[in-house]
Amino acid sequence: MPTAIDPPKNRVWWRDPVDKVEITWIVLALIWCLIMFFMMPYWHVYGKQNLSNEAYRSTPELFSQKTQAMVDKYTVRTETDQKIPVVRPPAGSDVYLIARLWQWWPLLELEAGKSYRLHLMSMDWLHGFSLQPENINIQVHPGYEHVLTVTPTKEGTYSIVCNEYCGINHHTMTSKLYVVK
Ligand code: CUA
């Protein structure tokens, strides 16, 4: 019985007939590959957690200016001793969220059923925007502004967790997102 490490007996081994079992597995594997391949575009459109996003080059200065302008205009209250602003921007508007060591800033309060353009950017290193329990997962890079169109459907308090290791306090980089009526 020849094994995989022996040289082939015939020089033109590829002309040997393929065993039925082998061809069956090749066909099955091919069909499965094709299913997986077409699932990618299909799931991008019909799997609701895969957000299409746009990305633009930007700078921390520019992005924090835009965030600050939103905070100045639409802050409704502050939370914790750190006085983190809770911002309630108008429905349909552009909303900004800064990721930085080791904080998400500010807190956003969005209206259920309304769409927003959510802009994300890191001020320093790579962070990850993970929205729980919604299974939304976006890498947040320094130097790039990611824009997602989001429509929160259910009211509640959602958790934002950083899911890219970003240093000693990575595990404390958590926040909240409010969705209200
Ligand atoms: Cu930011 Cu981990």
Side-chain angles (χ1 to χ4, degrees):
M1 182 81 184
T3 69
I5 56 169
D6 291 328
K9 268 205 300 286
N10 303 324
R11 280 178 54 125
V12 285
W13 53 270
W14 58 88
R15 292 210 190 125
D16 287 350
V18 182
D19 190 83
K20 241 197 221 134
V21 176
E22 192 174 7
I23 194 71
T24 309
W25 280 112
I26 289 171
V27 169
L28 282 177
L30 179 69
I31 292 169
W32 186 240
C33 283
L34 290 172
I35 291 171
M36 297 294 273
F37 180 81
F38 287 107
M39 273 308 274
M40 289 191 282
Y42 172 81
W43 205 244
H44 184 82
V45 178
Y46 297 103
K48 283 186 183 147
Q49 77 274 35
N50 290 312
L51 301 170
S52 296
N53 70 77
E54 305 155 34
Y56 306 97
R57 266 186 195 281
S58 186
T59 63
E61 294 73 32
L62 207 65
F63 193 80
S64 43
Q65 269 170 31
K66 290 196 269 188
T67 310
Q68 191 63 53
M70 173 195 75
V71 169
D72 292 344
K73 243 177 151 174
Y74 302 119
T75 296
V76 287
R77 60 180 187 276
T78 59
E79 277 189 15
T80 77
D81 325 334
Q82 293 177 309
K83 300 222 177 303
I84 302 173
V86 179
V87 182
R88 189 171 177 175
S93 68
D94 290 84
V95 301
Y96 299 87
L97 185 61
I98 285 176
R100 63 186 172 210
L101 301 171
W102 287 279
Q103 192 190 41
W104 299 95
W105 192 89
L107 290 163
L108 297 170
E109 189 169 274
L110 308 179
E111 219 179 303
K114 300 283 160 51
S115 294
Y116 298 84
R117 306 238 314 148
L118 173 62
H119 298 241
L120 298 167
M121 187 172 155
S122 163
M123 298 290 107
D124 34 56
W125 296 342
L126 182 64
H127 298 285
F129 174 89
S130 177
L131 189 70
Q132 303 293 338
E134 283 304 306
N135 197 20
I136 287 173
N137 223 319
I138 304 282
Q139 277 193 332
V140 187
H141 293 256
Y144 284 92
E145 184 170 336
H146 290 259
V147 190
L148 326 162
T149 301
V150 293
T151 312
T153 48
K154 266 183 287 171
E155 293 159 58
T157 303
Y158 295 78
S159 303
I160 299 172
V161 182
C162 178
N163 62 7
E164 292 284 350
Y165 182 70
C166 55
I168 195 79
N169 275 335
H170 160 70
H171 63 286
T172 66
M173 194 170 161
T174 58
S175 185
K176 283 179 284 187
L177 175 82
Y178 297 112
V179 177
V180 296
K181 254 196 188 154

